[in-house]
Amino acid sequence: DAGITQSPRHKVTETGTPVTLRCHQTENHRYMYWYRQDPGHGLRLIHYSYGVKDTDKGEVSDGYSVSRSKTEDFLLTLESATSSQTSVYFCAISESTGGENTQYFGPGTRLTVL
Amino acid sequence: KQEVTQIPAALSVPEGENLVLNCSFTDSAIYNLQWFRQDPGKGLTSLLLIQSSQREQTSGRLNASLDKSSGRSTLYIAASQPGDSATYLCATGDSSGSARQLTFGSGTQLTVLP
C-alpha cells in the first residue's frame, strides 16, 4: 500500500469554526489531491497540488483552501466550517500525470459539522 | 464537463456468478479510465487502469474493457465470491488545468451472497 496517512480520521466540529485536515505521504510523489465523497455524488475534486507551493482549484473548491510547504504534506483548511461541508475527505497522490499512472488514496477523514 | 454514470447503483448476486458492472461517460477525450474498489469505511484501492490507447486490461478474475467511441467501460468479474462484496467505482482521467484529474461515478454497491 502507498504510504499515505490522513489526520484526524474523525472529527466533529461546530459551524463557524476553522478546521484543518492533514495528508502526509512517504512516497515522494509530486502530485497530491483532496476529494470529498458524498452519497449520490461519488468523489469530487476540491483542490490539487502539482508541486511545493503549487496548487490549483478543483470542481468544488468554494469554502476550502490548501497549502503545501513540503513535498510530503498537503493541508486542507475549512476557514469557517458549514454543515454542507459534512463529508468524508480523501487525499490522493500520484507520481506523474501520464496515462499509465494511477492515484493512490488515503484512508479518509470523516468530518461532521454540527 | 465530464459526467460519469454507473448503473445499477446496487447489485446482489449469488456466489459463483459471473457479473458485469457498467460505466458510461460523456466526453471521450479521456487519457485513461480506472476501476477502484472501496470497502465500507475505507479508502479506494485501484483495481485496473486502461490507458486511452488500450481496449482492455485483466487482473486475475477481473477484466475491464474500454470503448471510447461509445463512452463506455465494463468491469467483468468471473466466479464471484463473498469477498468481492464492496462498492466499485469507475473514474475517467481528464485533462484540466495544471494537473490531470479523475472524474468519478457514484459507484455500484455489489453484494455477493454465500
Side-chain angles (χ1 to χ4, degrees), chain B residues 2-107:
Chain B
Q2 179 75 279
E3 293 182 6
V4 179
T5 302
Q6 293 185 248
I7 296 174
L11 180 65
S12 183
V13 300
E15 181 177 5
E17 270 204 9
N18 302 324
L19 60 100
V20 174
L21 305 182
N22 296 297
C23 173
S24 62
F25 48 95
T26 55
D27 185 350
S28 62
I30 63 174
Y31 65 92
N32 65 23
L33 185 141
Q34 299 179 57
W35 284 91
F36 293 87
R37 170 185 172 137
Q38 185 176 28
D39 293 289
K42 300 293 180 63
L44 280 68
T45 300
S46 180
L47 297 173
L48 290 165
L49 180 152
I50 311 174
Q51 297 185 59
S52 61
S53 59
Q54 299 173 328
R55 298 281 298 193
E56 65 177 349
Q57 284 289 334
T58 298
S59 176
R61 294 183 294 108
L62 305 180
N63 175 274
S65 66
L66 173 64
D67 184 344
K68 283 178 55 180
S69 61
S70 67
R72 294 183 181 180
S73 176
T74 61
L75 178 66
Y76 175 83
I77 302 176
S80 59
Q81 303 170 357
D84 295 330
S85 298
T87 297
Y88 291 81
L89 297 150
C90 73
T92 56
D94 304 303
S95 294
S96 176
S98 302
R100 293 174 168 175
Q101 63 182 55
L102 297 179
T103 303
F104 283 85
S106 298

Side-chain angles (χ1 to χ4, degrees), chain A residues 72-93:
Chain A
E72 58 266 35
D73 290 325
F74 193 31
L75 304 180
L76 176 71
T77 297
L78 291 65
E79 300 290 348
S80 178
T82 67
S83 59
S84 65
Q85 294 175 312
T86 292
S87 187
V88 180
Y89 291 85
F90 288 99
C91 173
I93 65 173

Side-chain angles (χ1 to χ4, degrees), chain A residues 14-103:
Chain A
E14 294 188 349
T15 298
T17 59
V19 177
T20 296
L21 308 183
R22 179 182 184 237
C23 177
H24 179 78
Q25 61 147 328
T26 58
E27 306 295 326
N28 201 35
H29 283 359
R30 177 181 176 187
Y31 297 89
M32 299 185 75
Y33 309 81
W34 277 108
Y35 294 87
R36 60 178 289 174
Q37 185 176 33
D38 304 289
H41 288 279
L43 277 80
R44 292 178 292 174
L45 183 66
I46 304 171
H47 281 280
Y48 59 90
S49 169
Y50 47 98
V52 174
K53 296 191 185 336
D54 293 323
T55 65
D56 206 347
K57 297 179 180 179
E59 177 188 357
V60 290
S61 60
D62 288 348
Y64 302 94
S65 63
V66 290
S67 65
R68 191 171 178 198
S69 59
K70 298 184 290 185
T71 298
E72 58 266 35
D73 290 325
F74 193 31
L75 304 180
L76 176 71
T77 297
L78 291 65
E79 300 290 348
S80 178
T82 67
S83 59
S84 65
Q85 294 175 312
T86 292
S87 187
V88 180
Y89 291 85
F90 288 99
C91 173
I93 65 173
S94 66
E95 187 171 13
S96 74
T97 58
E100 72 282 8
N101 279 274
T102 190
Q103 291 184 17

